[in-house]
Each structure stands twice: as C-alpha cells, then as structure tokens.
Amino acid sequence: MYTLFHGLYKYLVQKDDYCVLILGLDNAGKTTYLEAAKTQLLRQYRGMNPSKITSTVGLNIGRVVVGGIALNFWDLGGQQELQSLWDKYYAESHAVIYIVDSSDRDRIAESKETFDKMISSQTLQGVPLLVLANKQDITDCMGVREVKPIFNENAHLIGRRDCMVMPISALTGEGVDEGIRWLVDCIKRNSDVRPPRNQDS
C-alpha cells in the first residue's frame, strides 16, 4: 500500500528535473539574469539588488518550476581561467543559455570565440541553445540583427539543434520570461535524447 501511495505522490508532486547552464564571458550579466529569472518565476522571491552582484567565482545555482518541469540553473563564472571548468558540467546539462554583453563591442570577438569552443564540444551535441543579447537597456548596444550573424558564422558547429537568439535586459527583466518558456518547450522535445535527471528514481 505504501508503494502505491508513494508512486501516486511522486506522479502528482515530483517534477521532471533538468539542468540548464548559464555561460558567457565575465560581466556579460549571467548572475543578474539568474536573479531576474528567479524574481519573475518564483513567487515571493525578492531579488538581489543588482548593485550588490559581483563576478561569479565558481557557481551560482537557482531552481524554478515552469511549464510543469523543474529547471536547475547553473550560472558558471566566465573569467578566462574558469572557462576550463565549464566542460565538467556539459554531460549533465539539458540546455545552454549563452549570454552576450551586447554593449561591449570590444569583447564581441572574444565572446564569439568562447561560444564556438563551447558548442564544439561533442558532449553538448544536440542540446538546445538560447543565445541572449543582454544589456538592451544600454544606448547604442548591438541589436539582435547585429549579434545574430556574428554567432551564426559557424552554423555547422551549432548543427541540428534548437537554437534561438533573443534580445533581453537582465537588469529590467525584459525578455527573460519569453526566453525561458521557449527553452522549456525545447527541453521537453529533446527529453528522449536527454531524459530528466530523476527519471530513473
């Protein structure tokens, strides 16, 4: 009888569990983005003051339930010396959010190079990819029409996977919700290739 109720409880309460990596160069706005996502998608969550957010050394984690599934966000530090640790997380990930500082033209080539190296990994093959042109609230930033062709130059590396480039402002929260909901649909579609972490439990 316990087994029956336990199984029913799990069916009704437990959400499929997925991991989403948040990657990008340092100062691209990854942690601010994670805070904006939690603020928009978690009831009664009071976000951190953006002026108090500092560069991530290591890992920030956030969990939200959206579209009937649980997303575990892993915000990894973007400093060059920390990028070598990213691939340790690839095998467990179900999607990647790559954040671009669209106001920093001087580092766009560096961001593109880092992006290409990341998507070249065999471990990430077929994993849905959301590229976010962040800091759209800043005057004279690059819009999606300018960012998209840069990151599409090596389309063969992106391969046959769900991929979207969207404009956002992590600071104001604009575009955050739409991107995550798009990603949820992609993760669900891809779940036969990358099943949720708790499927066997």
Side-chain angles (χ1 to χ4, degrees), residues 22-193:
I22 302 175
L23 306 176
L25 299 185
D26 54 303
N27 202 38
K30 298 183 298 299
T31 305
T32 306
Y33 172 82
L34 178 56
E35 283 298 304
K38 291 193 289 187
T39 301
Q40 287 188 18
L41 298 166
L42 291 176
R43 279 192 210 138
Q44 299 176 333
Y45 179 77
R46 293 179 58 125
M48 194 188 305
N49 186 324
S51 65
K52 303 265 194 256
I53 294 173
T54 57
S55 289
T56 299
V57 178
L59 171 70
N60 288 318
I61 295 174
R63 179 183 166 89
V64 301
V65 174
V66 58
I69 64 173
L71 298 179
N72 297 285
F73 292 107
W74 296 344
D75 158 29
L76 303 178
Q79 297 91 326
Q80 201 159 19
E81 62 273 17
L82 297 176
Q83 290 171 20
S84 60
L85 302 174
W86 289 1
D87 62 0
K88 309 281 186 287
Y89 297 89
Y90 289 171
E92 291 184 65
S93 67
H94 297 89
V96 173
I97 296 172
Y98 189 85
I99 299 187
V100 180
D101 181 347
S102 61
S103 72
D104 192 349
R105 294 172 188 272
D106 292 340
R107 295 187 78 194
I108 197 73
E110 182 188 347
S111 183
K112 163 71 165 52
E113 191 179 315
T114 303
F115 172 82
D116 285 351
K117 187 175 175 188
M118 178 265 298
I119 60 167
S120 296
S121 169
Q122 287 294 311
T123 318
L124 284 177
Q125 199 167 23
V127 169
L129 177 62
L130 178 60
V131 179
L132 298 175
N134 189 24
K135 306 192 183 180
Q136 292 294 305
D137 52 292
I138 296 177
T139 311
D140 295 332
C141 70
M142 292 175 280
V144 166
R145 285 186 180 180
E146 199 173 345
V147 170
K148 191 173 182 177
I150 295 169
F151 284 81
N152 258 351
E153 273 173 18
N154 289 326
H156 66 281
L157 294 177
I158 294 171
R160 296 180 63 185
R161 73 174 88 205
D162 287 313
C163 182
M164 172 78 80
V165 182
M166 292 180 70
I168 63 151
S169 167
L171 197 61
T172 66
E174 193 174 341
V176 170
D177 183 66
E178 295 93 320
I180 290 173
R181 292 189 187 282
W182 175 84
L183 206 55
V184 164
D185 291 339
C186 298
I187 288 170
K188 286 178 177 176
R189 271 199 306 273
N190 202 43
S191 62
D192 55 333
V193 179

